[in-house]
Amino acid sequence: YHNYLINSKEYGVEGIKELIERVRDLIEELKKNYSKETILLVTHGGWINALLYYFEKIPEDGKLKSIPLRNGEFIKYSL
């Protein structure tokens, strides 16, 4: 699992917290500018997991389990 609460800046890398913040910013921009549109996002597992945690919420203990997905798997959310 990834720990959302770890300060990744200590290690000089983008952590899961920063990734989820980037995903949140993108989703907020899409909601603002394309609220009446259908949007398809195609991405890799890290972004997909961050999207899932955006929609499903982060556990209070900060422990994010990697969500196994199959290649080409389709997940639908409404903004």
Side-chain angles (χ1 to χ4, degrees):
Y1 68 88
H2 299 283
N3 190 327
Y4 179 80
L5 303 175
I6 287 179
N7 181 0
S8 62
K9 291 180 182 176
E10 292 178 27
Y11 304 101
V13 297
E14 179 183 50
I16 191 71
K17 184 175 184 177
E18 290 81 16
L19 177 58
I20 291 171
E21 288 171 358
R22 284 197 301 131
V23 167
R24 183 203 61 223
D25 291 347
L26 172 66
I27 296 299
E28 294 303 318
E29 180 180 337
L30 293 174
K31 285 168 41 175
K32 177 181 174 187
N33 296 318
Y34 302 97
S35 63
K36 298 186 189 309
E37 304 292 330
T38 299
I39 300 167
L40 173 66
L41 295 177
V42 179
T43 187
H44 59 77
W47 259 77
I48 291 170
N49 277 294
L51 280 166
L52 293 173
Y53 282 112
Y54 171 85
F55 287 106
E56 302 294 335
K57 307 300 177 217
I58 296 167
E60 287 189 29
D61 66 3
K63 293 181 180 178
L64 306 178
K65 294 182 180 175
S66 185
I67 301 165
L69 300 169
R70 296 181 308 260
N71 281 345
E73 188 166 347
F74 176 82
I75 302 169
K76 182 177 179 179
Y77 281 100
S78 295
L79 300 179

